[in-house]
């Protein structure tokens, strides 16, 4: 199991140009949980010198996706909401996501983003759509629309 999680981390860190170009790195994954770090540099600061809200949202989305992938299921974001609590300052951001609920087609993930001084900067909730939901239906013996019309 640990080998699978290391392989997932390696896959996420090496295959996503978005993560690489935004100085993000998946540092931990386990079933329904992920941790992603992001370097704070001048390119992600807003006009006030704080981390831009879009950068915080991108990190939250990334860590929620990694936690979802850590369940063994590929997914895409269906919805995401974020609360900005404190201005983003420091040397790096640390995003942590935990699965709250998982169903046949969607999973819900709670995300917390801290700076490197352990100050909570934002809290988010993401709903992820599982791309393998059709496969799961077939495994359970469900009849799909294609099978009905055939």
């Amino acid at each position: 199991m640990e080998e699978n999680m290391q392989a997932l981390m390696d896959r996420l860190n090496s295959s996503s140009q978005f993560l690489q170009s935004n100085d993000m790195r998946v540092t931990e994954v386990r079933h329904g949980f992920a941790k992603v770090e992001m370097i704070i540099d001048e390119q992600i600061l807003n006009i006030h010198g704080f981390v831009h809200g879009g950068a915080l949202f991108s990190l939250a989305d990334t860590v929620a996706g990694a936690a979802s992938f850590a369940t063994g299921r590929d997914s895409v974001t269906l919805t995401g909401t974020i609360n900005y609590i404190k201005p983003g300052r420091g040397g790096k951001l640390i995003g942590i996501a935990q699965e709250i609920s998982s169903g046949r087609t969607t999973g819900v993930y709670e995300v917390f983003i801290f700076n490197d001084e352990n100050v909570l900067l934002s809290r988010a909730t993401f709903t992820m759509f599982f791309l393998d939901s059709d496969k799961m239906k077939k495994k359970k013996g469900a009849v799909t629309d294609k099978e009905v019309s055939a």
Side-chain angles (χ1 to χ4, degrees):
M1 181 71 150
E2 194 171 308
E3 288 174 15
N4 290 342
M5 292 301 159
Q6 184 61 48
L8 174 61
M9 271 192 347
D10 293 344
R11 176 181 147 216
L12 293 172
N13 285 324
S14 66
S15 66
S16 174
Q17 289 294 318
F18 185 78
L19 267 70
Q20 293 170 14
S21 65
N22 286 286
D23 289 324
M24 288 188 219
R25 190 170 62 88
V26 179
T27 59
E28 185 179 348
V29 289
R30 54 183 187 267
H31 187 86
F33 174 89
K35 182 177 177 182
V36 176
E37 295 180 357
M38 180 180 192
I39 302 299
I40 297 175
D41 62 24
E42 60 194 34
Q43 294 181 18
I44 67 167
L45 300 181
N46 66 18
I47 196 167
H48 306 290
F50 305 126
V51 176
H52 191 282
L56 290 165
F57 191 91
S58 290
L59 175 58
D61 184 37
T62 299
V63 72
S68 177
F69 278 39
T71 65
R73 302 177 74 185
D74 283 347
S75 64
V76 293
T77 302
L78 193 58
T79 63
T81 60
I82 192 166
N83 292 311
Y84 301 104
I85 298 166
K86 298 260 186 198
R89 297 184 179 128
K92 71 178 170 181
L93 302 170
I94 300 137
I96 297 171
Q98 179 67 50
E99 185 176 80
I100 298 171
S101 173
S102 180
R104 184 174 47 85
T105 59
T106 62
V108 179
Y109 297 82
E110 186 169 39
V111 177
F112 295 95
I113 298 177
F114 300 89
N115 67 10
D116 50 2
E117 296 173 356
N118 209 30
V119 174
L120 179 64
L121 304 179
S122 62
R123 180 193 174 278
T125 305
F126 281 80
T127 301
M128 308 305 285
F129 177 76
F130 296 125
L131 296 173
D132 63 353
S133 60
D134 285 339
K135 285 192 252 178
M136 297 299 282
K137 286 182 206 171
K138 288 179 183 177
K139 279 185 180 177
K140 292 182 180 178
V143 178
T144 65
D145 291 339
K146 284 183 180 178
E147 292 171 322
V148 170
S149 63

